[in-house]
Amino acid sequence: MATNEFTSPADEPSDTRARILAAATRLVAAGGEEAATTRAVADAASVQAPTIYRLFGDKRGLLDAVAEAAYANYIAEKVRRAPAADPVEDMRRGWDDYIAFGLANPAIFNLIRTTYPNPPSKVTLAGLAVLREKVGRLARLGRLRVSEEHAVDLVHAAGIGCVLSLLAKAPDQRGDLADAAREAVFSQIIEGRPLKNGSELSSIATALRSRLDEVAVLSPGERLLLEEMLQRIADRG
């Protein structure tokens, strides 16, 4: 049954919204966001243009919804998958999945990238949370050369840049760029071997405590506090 001009978004059947999103996603995937005009989407979804306005506000709102839905599906798959036993391999798999998603969905990837630069959407934050968990596993094993936040930022930025660089090349000219970029980034953030036991952690704490005088960024009070905490770690080793 056709909707009238007084129908609110809450009154629209959920399958109507899903049908519009699916139609818009197909159009974006085939021809970029320029192809997803309100008229084209309405025709493809077999609805009237006012229905799109009621549900999404305007074309920008519709494209935002397309970007969020596409990325949400990708993140949901990553969350469902059990992590690899080796945290480094888990990071590699996450990188490879991200690159594969971008290359398989270039128009959607560009739409996601331009839709949520700042502030990020909830689904973008969920994706970063997945990455932070992977980085956190490395940190807990003593495998990080840098802070967790820096590692997350570096992997995230490098992943986006890698996809964009690959998309600018013909498929037969991409070579091993994705793998080379991954290993270059990982070599900057991942230590070669994990901490094996508490005594090794104790040794690291002792070594750091012995060199605190070389750390210029700490105030005297901060240095004393850190020295006390490192001593506790060393004593428990």
Side-chain angles (χ1 to χ4, degrees):
M1 182 174 65
T3 59
N4 60 54
E5 60 180 331
F6 300 108
T7 305
S8 70
D11 295 326
E12 294 286 353
S14 59
D15 63 337
T16 300
R17 188 178 192 281
R19 194 166 70 248
I20 292 171
L21 272 178
T25 299
R26 289 194 299 270
L27 288 167
V28 170
E33 63 180 272
E34 296 81 7
T37 64
T38 302
R39 181 173 180 176
V41 173
D43 289 344
S46 300
V47 299
Q48 298 297 316
T51 302
I52 296 176
Y53 295 128
R54 281 192 292 270
L55 288 171
F56 301 97
D58 54 18
K59 180 182 176 181
R60 185 70 257 168
L62 174 60
L63 291 176
D64 287 354
V66 168
E68 184 155 4
Y71 201 52
N73 290 335
Y74 164 70
I75 295 301
E77 291 179 6
K78 293 176 72 69
V79 170
R80 283 194 297 267
R81 180 187 296 179
D86 178 2
V88 177
E89 181 58 33
D90 201 41
M91 284 284 290
R92 283 198 178 93
R93 190 167 69 179
W95 172 281
D96 293 346
D97 287 347
Y98 185 79
I99 301 300
F101 171 79
L103 295 182
N105 305 277
I108 295 294
F109 179 83
N110 277 310
L111 182 58
I112 293 170
R113 185 176 61 86
T114 57
T115 297
Y116 296 116
N118 186 40
S121 69
K122 290 182 180 179
V123 71
T124 299
L125 293 175
L128 288 172
V130 172
L131 176 56
R132 284 195 179 90
E133 174 56 31
K134 294 179 184 298
V135 169
R137 290 183 67 199
L138 291 170
R140 290 189 290 274
L141 291 175
R143 299 293 299 270
L144 280 186
R145 295 178 181 270
V146 297
S147 70
E148 291 183 52
E149 193 63 29
H150 185 65
V152 169
D153 289 344
L154 184 57
V155 172
H156 181 60
I160 292 174
C162 185
V163 172
L164 294 177
S165 295
L166 290 169
L167 289 175
K169 296 178 177 292
D172 61 352
Q173 296 179 341
R174 292 168 182 168
D176 66 347
L177 178 60
D179 291 348
R182 179 193 64 210
E183 295 309 310
V185 172
F186 285 12
S187 70
Q188 296 298 309
I189 67 173
I190 300 176
E191 287 287 359
R193 65 186 183 90
L195 297 177
K196 294 182 179 180
N197 51 49
S199 61
E200 187 171 353
L201 183 61
S202 174
S203 298
I204 292 174
T206 299
L208 179 56
R209 182 173 178 271
S210 70
R211 301 186 63 174
L212 281 181
D213 288 342
E214 302 174 27
V215 181
V217 297
L218 298 177
S219 69
E222 289 171 334
R223 185 177 290 108
L224 285 173
L225 179 60
L226 181 55
E227 183 176 5
E228 180 182 346
M229 291 188 291
L230 289 172
Q231 184 62 56
R232 289 182 186 178
I233 294 173
D235 290 344
R236 291 177 65 89

